[in-house]
Amino acid sequence: MREVLLAGNWKMNKTISESIELAACLKQSISGSSKVIIFPPFTALTSVYDVIKEGKIELGAQNMYFEEYGSFTGEVSPLLLADVGVRYVILGHSERRHIFGEDDILINKKVKAALKNDLRPILCVGETLVERQEGLTENVIERQLIGGLDSIMNAAALKVIVAYEPVWAIGTGINAKPEEANSVHKFIRNLLNKNYGGNLGEEVTILYGGSINSGNIEELGRMEEIDGGLVGGASLDCRSFIEIYKKLERAKSTVAWGE
Ligand code: 13P
């Protein structure tokens, strides 16, 4: 079901004590109606869960392998993540695709494994700068989305959250123009409608990610097709993440959203 959502991807940052401190600060200050999910590093998941378990913030992991258990040294499974209180998992992040060579076939296996184990995947899609300059944005998004969701039935697909994260906007300080991001989100909704029949595209939550900060979230949040944000750098600081949250709430309260 479509919902307003703010996600904080802490990436490879924060020791356990720093994670506890940030989670405690967020827990104290987040009280609105929009959903918040934080994605600490694996080493801090259990400690952060202990801090947030009785509040409204939910816990996510930044990646996982698709097998449930076995001889896969260095990997973490959906089963093990669920065991420490994780309910969401980021899959297909551009850093996984481009630094660690993950392809759509592997990402699709992970999406299916997450769903099977009751974890909600946040499937990331997005074009590089070169692909954008060559006019390939829609081709790339289509390949990543349809590949990532291959052989997933309607009911399960509804549980997937999509994040549009243009690679050129990640960590660069240059966010996509709200209208541009909005039109890619619309393209994603249309693709989902076409692929699944009916209006699944209207019901899936789609986040924008890439250099979100407290100065641009309101304008992005006012866009009808943008349901929220996946924040990297600005999620590492309690005050800035809370400011983003409040501004997203304000933006969504002034939009005829999800109708
Ligand atoms: P930044 O917000 O630092 O650009 O990172 C975005 C991102 O990759 C979130 O997953």
Side-chain angles (χ1 to χ4, degrees):
M1 224 29 210
R2 213 168 147 185
E3 57 201 335
V4 179
L5 197 170
L6 189 67
N9 177 7
W10 297 1
K11 305 193 180 182
M12 200 173 71
N13 296 293
K14 303 285 177 195
T15 61
I16 292 175
S17 61
E18 289 166 345
S19 297
I20 291 171
E21 193 184 334
L22 178 52
C25 176
L26 295 173
K27 185 186 173 188
Q28 219 175 29
S29 320
I30 292 217
S31 61
S33 57
S34 311
K35 188 189 279 265
V36 176
I37 314 167
I38 50 177
F39 296 80
F42 289 129
T43 47
L45 285 172
T46 301
S47 313
V48 168
Y49 179 70
D50 284 341
V51 174
I52 62 174
K53 64 184 171 205
E54 258 122 48
K56 64 166 277 140
I57 301 175
E58 301 201 61
L59 187 65
Q62 299 173 20
N63 183 34
M64 58 166 228
Y65 194 53
F66 61 83
E67 295 285 357
E68 289 176 4
Y69 48 84
S71 302
F72 304 100
T73 302
E75 293 295 325
V76 175
S77 82
L79 215 66
L80 301 181
L81 291 175
D83 193 37
V84 295
V86 165
R87 307 285 299 118
Y88 298 81
V89 60
I90 296 173
L91 296 174
H93 191 280
S94 73
E95 287 147 20
R96 299 300 317 173
R97 294 178 190 268
H98 298 292
I99 303 173
F100 300 100
E102 294 195 6
D103 62 14
D104 294 315
I105 293 170
L106 176 62
I107 293 161
N108 175 244
K109 286 182 183 167
K110 293 185 177 195
V111 173
K112 285 193 276 199
L115 290 167
K116 185 171 165 231
N117 287 279
D118 266 339
L119 299 181
R120 287 189 69 185
I122 299 193
L123 173 62
C124 300
V125 297
E127 80 287 3
T128 63
L129 183 60
V130 172
E131 289 163 342
R132 171 181 153 90
Q133 285 164 342
E134 289 175 357
L136 294 173
T137 298
E138 293 191 349
N139 304 51
V140 172
I141 304 288
E142 178 160 4
R143 174 176 49 73
Q144 293 177 340
L145 189 76
I146 302 307
L149 296 177
D150 188 38
S151 70
I152 291 169
M153 300 292 116
N154 285 41
L158 253 183
K159 297 196 179 118
V160 176
I161 295 160
V162 177
Y164 170 53
E165 295 208 310
V167 182
W168 49 268
I170 295 178
T172 58
I174 304 165
N175 61 285
K177 291 202 183 79
E179 294 75 15
E180 261 180 89
N182 196 58
S183 83
V184 176
H185 283 221
K186 185 73 194 157
F187 174 73
I188 292 170
R189 295 196 193 284
N190 290 341
L191 262 181
L192 290 170
N193 288 340
K194 199 170 91 187
N195 202 48
Y196 284 96
N199 65 343
L200 188 110
E202 263 52 67
E203 301 194 36
V204 167
T205 300
I206 307 181
L207 310 178
Y208 166 78
S211 295
I212 289 180
N213 58 41
S214 56
N216 58 30
I217 186 64
E218 249 180 307
E219 219 189 326
L220 287 159
R222 266 189 241 114
M223 296 290 121
E224 206 176 326
E225 310 301 343
I226 299 178
D227 299 325
L230 177 52
V231 187
S235 72
L236 296 173
D237 177 71
C238 186
R239 272 204 6 222
S240 85
F241 194 67
I242 288 163
E243 215 180 320
I244 291 169
Y245 179 77
K246 287 183 178 158
K247 288 187 172 175
L248 176 64
E249 287 244 294
R250 192 157 69 202
K252 283 307 179 198
S253 69
T254 60
V255 173
W257 175 83
E259 291 175 358

